[in-house]
Amino acid sequence: MCSKVSASMSWHENDRTEDGKLRHPADSEAWRVLDSFDPSFASDPRNVRLGLSSDGFNPFRTMSIQYSMWPVVLMSYNLPPWMCMKPPNFIMALLIPGKESPGNDIDVYLQPVIEELKELWDFGVKTYDASKREYFQMRAALFWTINDFPAYAMLSGWSTKGSLACPVCCYDTKSIYLRNSRKFCYLGHRKFLHLNHKWRHDKKSFYDGKELGATPPLLSGSNVFEHVKDIENKFWKTQSKKRDKDSSPWKKKNIFFELPYWKFNILNHNLDVMHIEKNVCDKVLGTLLDMQGKSKDHLKGRLDLEDIGVRHELHARVGESNKIYLPPAIFSMGSKEKDNFCKVLKGVRLPDGYASNISRCVQIKGHKVSGLKSHDFHFILHYLLQLAVRRSLPTNITEPLIKLGDFFRGLCAKVIDLDEIDKLEGEIAETLCRLEMIFPPSFFDIMMHLPIHLAHEVRLGGPVQNIKSFTY
């Protein structure tokens, strides 16, 4: 067994195919960039490329006890696709116990891991190759991190809340504060369309008039490194009595910049697709079924429409006896349509192990969906949502929702053509713009904005199942 695994550690050098398709991180641009940074590291295929992931969980069965255990896990990308994400091949690098999340102090716990990674890069460690029956000096490099969005903020140092919550758009994040809903929303997806698109000149359907701006440039590791240095000089080293740290989204240093190659990476931190899918699907189901506490179409949302001056037909009105009346939105469903929607989810029958029992999480009488796991949302968004909306909503509503599911399904393919990634990028920009014309601004929190960047990250790092979806 040891010799077979040892031989598989060089799989990426011998068995991958050069046909313009992404099957493994070894086919990605990020892999080639690291190889060009240090040719001596790339010369031996047994040198290890690693990914790091961390998240908190409650180790006790009862959720009434608040406790947050944070494992830090490493994955080896030298292994073939069918092995690299299997639990037996994970490396438990660190276990952070505690009653609360470590927050920004996670850097203190990660320091021993960073020191070992620096040593593995600079000097390596004498290692026995069981397949060739010889010793060699093995080196290792950390490619990127994979986390959900709150853990992304802890490891990257970028604040994922507020007006500049998108770590990819960075300082070009387009957001507005909704005074009634008391939250930021992230609209303005027209800037990701091509420059001659007709929607860029549509003043009626969008809140911000014409959109003539170009797509914001994506930051590389070296750009982020320069930004962090500027922040340090301007804010952290100031001698004034009140240090203005909150004026920048950078809340702390990025500990991974201690690694000599980190600032040359083109993809340092990955957005977790499974976490985004869960939030997007939950938001769509809650709004379409008008579930209490989950729907984004409410009085405060209608008042936000009035504040930004769009869709006057949906503004709240005062009727008889001073009662507030909310005109039905184009996506509003009656009782019969909601029944048809829920029956699709209730009637699904799946093979054992494919997903949990989704039918028991659906209440047709109350039009509620609750208790779903992350993988259940993944399956609903890919397959079931398209069937449910076609039975319950008009075509102009179903088309963008079906396109949304098609985008995530295409993104999660095991083999992706680079031309297909270009197509997905164009489709998700149009889909989000069409959703802006349908749903209220409160619908577009940061999770509805992040899909705009997923296709490009797949181009840089490889297929989703290897780099962008890691769950315990």
Side-chain angles (χ1 to χ4, degrees):
M1 183 65 182
C2 183
S3 61
K4 290 181 180 180
V5 175
S6 176
S8 298
M9 291 294 287
S10 302
W11 171 90
H12 60 89
E13 183 68 17
N14 303 319
D15 295 341
R16 61 175 177 168
T17 57
E18 298 289 345
D19 57 358
K21 298 182 183 294
L22 299 178
R23 297 179 175 87
H24 186 270
D27 303 320
S28 68
E29 187 177 346
W31 191 288
R32 293 190 290 271
V33 169
L34 184 61
D35 285 351
S36 62
F37 173 70
D38 189 342
S40 64
F41 180 84
S43 62
D44 192 339
R46 295 174 295 186
N47 288 331
V48 182
R49 276 89 167 170
L50 297 169
L52 182 146
S53 181
S54 182
D55 198 3
F57 74 101
N58 189 337
F60 305 104
R61 291 184 178 273
T62 172
M63 298 303 293
S64 60
I65 300 177
Q66 293 185 357
Y67 200 88
S68 182
M69 183 80 74
W70 284 71
V72 177
V73 180
L74 295 172
M75 298 80 69
S76 172
Y77 290 120
N78 290 49
L79 296 171
W82 53 89
M83 292 180 64
C84 66
M85 296 302 288
K86 295 296 183 181
N89 299 319
F90 292 165
I91 304 169
M92 176 71 76
L94 191 66
L95 189 62
I96 306 174
K99 294 185 177 180
E100 298 177 353
S101 165
N104 290 338
D105 293 334
I106 194 172
D107 288 1
V108 178
Y109 298 98
L110 285 174
Q111 195 64 52
V113 177
I114 298 299
E115 294 300 325
E116 289 188 2
L117 288 172
K118 289 165 64 176
E119 181 180 351
L120 285 170
W121 173 263
D122 294 331
F123 309 107
V125 61
K126 188 177 181 180
T127 306
Y128 182 69
D129 185 345
S131 61
K132 297 184 177 181
R133 298 182 178 181
E134 64 181 19
Y135 284 93
F136 72 104
Q137 197 71 9
M138 185 191 72
R139 297 170 63 196
L142 180 65
F143 251 5
W144 45 57
T145 68
I146 314 168
N147 307 281
D148 60 14
F149 211 48
Y152 189 113
M154 293 167 52
L155 291 177
S156 69
W158 181 271
S159 175
T160 55
K161 298 179 181 179
S163 60
L164 302 177
C166 178
V168 184
C169 292
C170 200
Y171 292 102
D172 294 314
T173 303
K174 194 167 187 178
S175 63
I176 57 173
Y177 182 74
L178 303 177
R179 181 174 56 87
N180 297 284
S181 298
R182 296 184 179 181
K183 60 186 290 188
F184 282 94
C185 74
Y186 305 86
L187 303 173
H189 296 103
R190 287 185 294 168
K191 62 184 177 181
F192 295 94
L193 300 171
H194 62 79
L195 294 176
N196 296 323
H197 200 286
K198 62 180 181 179
W199 286 345
R200 282 180 169 266
H201 301 274
D202 189 347
K203 297 180 181 180
K204 182 178 179 181
S205 303
F206 300 92
Y207 80 98
D208 52 351
K210 291 184 179 181
E211 176 58 78
L212 303 179
T215 302
L218 301 177
L219 297 181
S220 63
S222 57
N223 297 139
V224 174
F225 184 70
E226 293 301 323
H227 275 296
V228 172
K229 288 176 63 178
D230 293 341
I231 300 296
E232 285 182 342
N233 295 333
K234 187 174 181 181
F235 298 107
W236 295 342
K237 295 184 178 180
T238 181
Q239 299 299 319
S240 60
K241 294 182 179 179
K242 182 179 179 181
R243 297 189 177 185
D244 190 10
K245 293 181 181 180
D246 293 332
S247 59
S248 169
W250 294 102
K251 297 303 180 184
K252 68 180 183 70
K253 296 181 181 179
N254 189 326
I255 190 174
F256 296 102
F257 277 114
E258 296 182 15
L259 301 174
Y261 50 85
W262 191 255
K263 67 178 180 180
F264 298 101
N265 283 355
I266 57 175
L267 180 60
N268 290 334
H269 303 281
N270 279 281
L271 299 169
D272 185 8
V273 172
M274 188 72 80
H275 183 241
I276 295 173
E277 284 182 333
K278 186 264 181 189
N279 283 272
V280 168
C281 188
D282 193 26
K283 204 180 313 299
V284 170
L285 294 178
T287 303
L288 292 180
L289 295 176
D290 196 23
M291 289 190 282
Q292 186 176 3
K294 293 188 175 182
S295 175
K296 302 302 177 182
D297 184 31
H298 41 60
L299 176 59
K300 293 180 180 179
R302 298 295 182 90
L303 294 176
D304 291 327
L305 282 175
E306 188 174 352
D307 282 351
I308 63 178
V310 295
R311 281 179 263 170
H312 300 278
E313 68 278 4
L314 296 181
H315 293 179
R317 303 169 187 172
V318 179
E320 298 179 359
S321 303
N322 292 328
K323 291 185 177 180
I324 298 178
Y325 169 69
L326 300 181
I330 55 176
F331 57 84
S332 298
M333 294 189 293
S335 180
K336 182 179 179 180
E337 288 77 13
K338 290 180 181 178
D339 286 343
N340 293 334
F341 189 100
C342 292
K343 284 178 181 178
V344 173
L345 305 183
K346 187 75 173 178
V348 66
R349 296 292 183 270
L350 302 173
D352 289 342
Y354 196 80
S356 65
N357 190 355
I358 295 177
S359 61
R360 68 181 179 182
C361 301
V362 181
Q363 301 177 24
I364 297 179
K365 186 175 181 180
H367 304 141
K368 294 181 179 180
V369 181
S370 61
L372 295 172
K373 304 297 184 182
S374 294
H375 186 73
D376 300 332
F377 285 110
H378 167 86
F379 181 78
I380 290 174
L381 187 60
H382 283 208
Y383 303 104
L384 298 184
L385 181 64
Q386 292 89 326
L387 299 175
V389 296
R390 288 182 64 182
R391 295 189 59 183
S392 308
L393 291 168
T395 305
N396 60 331
I397 309 299
T398 59
E399 284 184 354
L401 292 175
I402 291 174
K403 286 286 186 180
L404 185 66
D406 289 344
F407 167 76
F408 281 104
R409 189 168 64 252
L411 195 72
C412 295
K414 291 184 178 181
V415 180
I416 304 180
D417 196 306
L418 291 176
D419 294 336
E420 182 67 19
I421 295 178
D422 296 334
K423 181 182 176 182
L424 291 174
E425 280 187 307
E427 288 181 351
I428 190 59
E430 291 196 2
T431 298
L432 291 177
C433 289
R434 293 185 67 177
L435 293 177
E436 284 186 30
M437 302 180 194
I438 297 171
F439 292 102
S442 57
F443 184 83
F444 295 91
D445 61 6
I446 189 60
M447 285 297 162
M448 287 302 302
H449 168 76
L450 293 178
I452 201 73
H453 302 300
L454 294 180
H456 182 70
E457 290 197 355
V458 168
R459 179 190 289 110
L460 298 181
V464 163
Q465 69 269 17
N466 292 324
I467 69 164
K468 301 181 73 57
S469 290
F470 182 82
T471 53
Y472 296 108

